[in-house]
């Protein structure tokens, strides 16, 4: 952290934020306690930065901490969500109070609390933050130590507000894109449900009752067939059963977390050396057009192997090599995502601590599909319009998240400054309030 940047200075959290002030007495009675934020990890590009995802409502007066206001910063100081960070948004004008598991902070004086939300978020992965954690069996962050944390602050409140506003705009763009993905997903799901059961024809007309017949998986059009995965494939297997040696950079090693419906997510992927990859691929070698299924932990995510991929797999991923003269990979990828196949997989999951679907069960899955290749192609084209929209928007989110991470890394050092004209508009707002 630098101290020679003009107009910036090093402060302690306690100098700029009021932390757990106005603590409520132990006999406070209240029935809405903010007791838990459900956040999976602390990597800054994966936290939901602005929402309460999950909260418990309990009658716990002895654990009362502080009555929450809109915009309060909440920082989890104990496991299981140690270091998770969020902004409190008051729901339905209800009064909530925080439990003792959270530091509750807001800005002192002219400081901007949203600025410090983003700044503290940018520091979570740094050594200074790691050094605050004490205890191995029950790791926690002491409130006193949290207050001593160093932050680098622009002396001009308008510059704080400008940075906070700039980053908030990126978050708003991410949220808007996420909402548009949800809308496209909803439309895609409805279209798949109707097209992949044969109720809706690719030309947009609906089939009549007399065009259907009873099959072993329910009513389907008379022009459709039902075959097992074993019948339409040349191989069904899963990935490497021993533990491969990982390296920092090399060749992709896919696991269940990388398999998403309709695409591979390589934002958090493992790597192996070339020799290790060659060993793994002797048993299981995914090629373009093969179908990948997450088969352990998260069950049933499905995607087609993209062109040009050279990767290995661990056992949490299953591989289906199709008879491509029987069914096209693009169509099969959609059928595996259909309600019928997802329900079959759900029923087939073994009962264990971590759910699994094994090769034998995958081979027995029954796929409904039109006998006509022309109809299969038309169905695929209809659905892939929405898949293309979704993938494009997911790429946009990843780009925005990388931008946000880069901005936080640079703006909070003071080495990269926002244009003075941009900051000036917030100075004008400050002056208006003063007058």
């Amino acid at each position: 952290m630098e101290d020679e940047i003009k107009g910036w200075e090093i402060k302690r959290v306690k100098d700029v934020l009021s932390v757990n002030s106005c603590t409520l007495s132990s006999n406070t009675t209240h029935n809405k306690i903010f007791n838990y934020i459900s956040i999976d990890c602390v990597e800054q590009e994966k936290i939901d930065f602005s929402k309460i995802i999950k909260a418990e409502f309990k009658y716990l007066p002895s654990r009362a901490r502080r009555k929450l206001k809109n915009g309060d910063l909440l920082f989890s100081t104990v496991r299981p969500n140690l270091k998770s960070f969020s902004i409190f948004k008051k729901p339905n004008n209800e009064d909530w109070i925080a439990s003792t598991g959270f530091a509750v902070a807001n800005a002192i004086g002219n400081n901007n609390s949203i600025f410090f939300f983003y700044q503290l978020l940018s520091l979570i992965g740094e050594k200074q933050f790691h050094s605050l954690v004490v205890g191995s069996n029950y790791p926690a962050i002491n409130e006193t130590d949290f207050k001593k944390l160093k932050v680098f602050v622009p002396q001009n409140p308008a510059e704080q507000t400008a940075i906070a506003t700039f980053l908030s705009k990126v978050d708003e763009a991410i949220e808007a894109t996420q909402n548009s993905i949800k809308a496209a997903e909803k439309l895609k799901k409805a279209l798949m449900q109707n097209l992949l059961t044969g109720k809706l024809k690719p030309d947009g007309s609906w089939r009549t009752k007399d065009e259907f017949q009873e099959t072993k998986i329910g009513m389907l059009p008379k022009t459709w067939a039902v075959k097992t995965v074993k019948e339409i494939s040349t191989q069904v297997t899963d990935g490497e059963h021993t533990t491969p040696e990982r390296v920092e950079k090399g060749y992709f090693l896919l696991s269940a977390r990388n398999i998403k419906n309709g695409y591979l997510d390589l934002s958090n992927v493992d790597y192996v050396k070339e020799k290790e990859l060659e060993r793994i691929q002797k048993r299981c070698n995914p090629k373009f057009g093969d179908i990948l299924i997450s088969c352990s932990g998260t069950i049933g995510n499905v995607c087609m192997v993209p062109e040009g991929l050279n990767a290995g797999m661990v056992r949490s991923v299953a591989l289906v090599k199709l008879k491509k003269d029987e069914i096209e990979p693009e169509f099969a990828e959609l059928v595996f995502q259909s309600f019928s196949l997802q329900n079959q997989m759900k029923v087939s999951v073994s009962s264990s601590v971590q759910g699994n679907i094994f090769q034998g069960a995958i081979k027995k899955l029954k796929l409904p599909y039109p006998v006509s290749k022309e109809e299969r192609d038309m169905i695929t084209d209809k659905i892939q319009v929405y898949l293309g929209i979704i993938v494009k928007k997911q790429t946009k989110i990843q780009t925005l998240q990388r931008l946000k991470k880069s901005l936080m890394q640079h703006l909070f050092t003071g080495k990269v400054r926002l244009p003075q004209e941009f900051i000036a508009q917030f100075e004008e707002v400050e002056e208006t309030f003063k007058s």
Side-chain angles (χ1 to χ4, degrees):
M1 187 174 290
E2 304 288 341
D3 60 358
E4 70 273 10
I5 305 297
K6 184 179 179 181
W8 286 60
E9 57 187 340
I10 294 176
K11 295 277 191 179
R12 302 280 184 175
V13 165
K14 65 180 180 179
D15 299 323
V16 292
L17 295 174
S18 60
V19 181
N20 288 333
S21 60
C22 304
T23 303
L24 298 172
S25 63
S26 60
N27 61 358
T28 300
T29 57
H30 207 289
N31 65 353
K32 289 195 181 289
I33 306 283
F34 187 90
N35 195 47
Y36 176 59
I37 298 180
S38 178
I39 296 178
D40 293 330
C41 54
V42 297
E43 288 94 352
Q44 55 196 33
E45 66 271 19
K46 293 184 179 177
I47 298 178
D48 187 318
F49 297 127
S50 59
K51 296 178 182 175
I52 296 166
I53 301 172
K54 180 179 178 182
E56 294 177 351
F57 305 129
K58 294 184 178 180
Y59 182 72
L60 293 170
S62 62
R63 298 185 67 183
R65 187 64 164 187
R66 173 183 163 180
K67 188 174 179 178
L68 293 172
K69 307 188 301 295
N70 240 355
D72 275 349
L73 307 185
L74 291 163
F75 183 81
S76 179
T77 56
V78 295
R79 68 173 188 179
N81 301 294
L82 186 64
K83 298 187 289 186
S84 296
F85 205 54
S86 190
I87 301 175
F88 179 74
K89 291 187 175 180
K90 194 172 183 178
N92 304 321
N93 291 318
E94 295 172 338
D95 290 330
W96 286 19
I97 54 179
S99 76
T100 53
F102 288 93
V104 182
N106 216 313
I108 296 172
N110 291 330
N111 290 310
N112 186 295
S113 60
I114 309 301
F115 169 86
F116 293 106
F117 163 72
Y118 285 113
Q119 186 177 65
L120 291 170
L121 203 58
S122 72
L123 294 175
I124 281 178
E126 293 192 0
K127 185 177 180 181
Q128 185 189 186
F129 236 120
H130 286 302
S131 66
L132 298 179
V133 181
V134 294
S136 53
N137 294 330
Y138 197 83
I141 291 177
N142 182 278
E143 182 182 313
T144 302
D145 293 334
F146 177 64
K147 289 180 179 180
K148 292 178 181 177
L149 188 69
K150 292 179 180 178
V151 287
F152 202 36
V153 186
Q155 296 169 327
N156 183 358
E159 188 167 1
Q160 295 179 22
T161 303
I163 292 171
T165 302
F166 195 71
L167 291 170
S168 294
K169 292 296 181 186
V170 179
D171 267 344
E172 287 171 12
I174 291 172
E175 185 173 4
T177 308
Q178 288 170 334
N179 288 337
S180 63
I181 287 176
K182 289 177 185 176
E185 286 278 12
K186 189 175 180 180
L187 289 170
K188 185 200 79 171
K189 185 177 180 180
L191 193 62
M192 286 178 66
Q193 176 62 19
N194 289 310
L195 285 173
L196 296 177
T197 56
K199 294 177 183 177
L200 182 67
K201 296 179 183 179
D203 64 7
S205 62
W206 296 90
R207 281 189 170 90
T208 59
K209 287 184 179 180
D210 60 1
E211 293 180 88
F212 286 83
Q213 65 180 358
E214 186 68 44
T215 72
K216 44 192 154 185
I217 59 171
M219 298 296 291
L220 287 173
K222 294 176 182 178
T223 55
W224 284 38
V226 178
K227 291 193 177 182
T228 63
V229 170
K230 183 178 179 180
E231 290 174 313
I232 62 165
S233 63
T234 59
Q235 183 186 20
V236 178
T237 187
D238 56 15
E240 179 60 31
H241 284 219
T242 62
T243 303
E245 181 185 352
R246 270 80 163 173
V247 293
E248 294 242 341
K249 288 292 178 184
Y251 294 88
F252 294 134
L253 180 67
L254 305 178
S255 64
R257 70 172 177 267
N258 303 120
I259 314 303
K260 306 297 182 184
N261 281 328
Y263 69 102
L264 271 180
D265 179 4
L266 300 175
S267 61
N268 182 19
V269 66
D270 291 330
Y271 298 92
V272 292
K273 292 180 180 178
E274 186 174 7
K275 285 188 178 180
E276 185 75 340
L277 177 70
E278 290 172 355
R279 180 185 71 80
I280 293 168
Q281 287 183 339
K282 286 178 182 177
R283 182 178 185 278
C284 178
N285 189 2
K287 293 291 187 180
F288 172 57
D290 293 344
I291 300 296
L292 302 177
I293 306 172
S294 60
C295 61
S296 181
T298 300
I299 306 294
N301 282 347
V302 179
C303 73
M304 186 180 76
V305 176
E307 196 166 5
L309 181 76
N310 185 21
M313 298 161 31
V314 296
R315 67 184 304 175
S316 63
V317 181
L319 176 73
V320 178
K321 288 187 175 291
L322 298 166
K323 296 176 181 177
K324 294 178 184 176
D325 57 344
E326 182 80 32
I327 189 169
E328 301 75 32
E330 294 83 1
F331 182 80
E333 179 186 48
L334 298 176
V335 179
F336 272 107
Q337 295 176 55
S338 69
F339 175 79
S340 174
L341 268 292
Q342 289 292 308
N343 190 53
Q344 289 180 55
M345 282 190 267
K346 184 178 179 182
V347 170
S348 302
V349 172
S350 66
S351 54
S352 60
V353 176
Q354 184 179 40
N356 293 275
I357 180 168
F358 297 110
Q359 298 171 41
I362 292 173
K363 290 177 183 179
K364 293 177 183 177
L365 296 174
K366 301 175 181 67
L367 277 76
Y369 64 98
V371 173
S372 164
K373 181 182 184 304
E374 182 183 6
E375 185 175 354
R376 295 196 300 269
D377 288 344
M378 289 175 69
I379 289 173
T380 301
D381 290 343
K382 288 275 186 184
I383 297 173
Q384 283 189 337
V385 170
Y386 290 96
L387 287 173
I389 292 170
I390 291 165
V391 170
K392 185 176 179 180
K393 290 182 183 297
Q394 285 166 338
T395 302
K396 180 180 178 181
I397 286 177
Q398 291 171 359
T399 301
L400 286 168
Q401 287 172 333
R402 287 193 296 269
L403 171 64
K404 179 179 174 180
K405 183 176 181 180
S406 176
L407 285 170
M408 287 198 296
Q409 287 173 342
H410 291 90
L411 288 174
F412 292 119
T413 62
K415 294 177 181 178
V416 174
R417 311 286 285 270
L418 293 175
Q420 186 55 45
E421 310 86 70
F422 183 71
I423 296 171
Q425 63 183 310
F426 299 100
E427 290 175 338
E428 291 172 9
V429 172
E430 291 280 339
E431 289 301 318
T432 300
F433 279 120
K434 286 178 184 178
S435 61

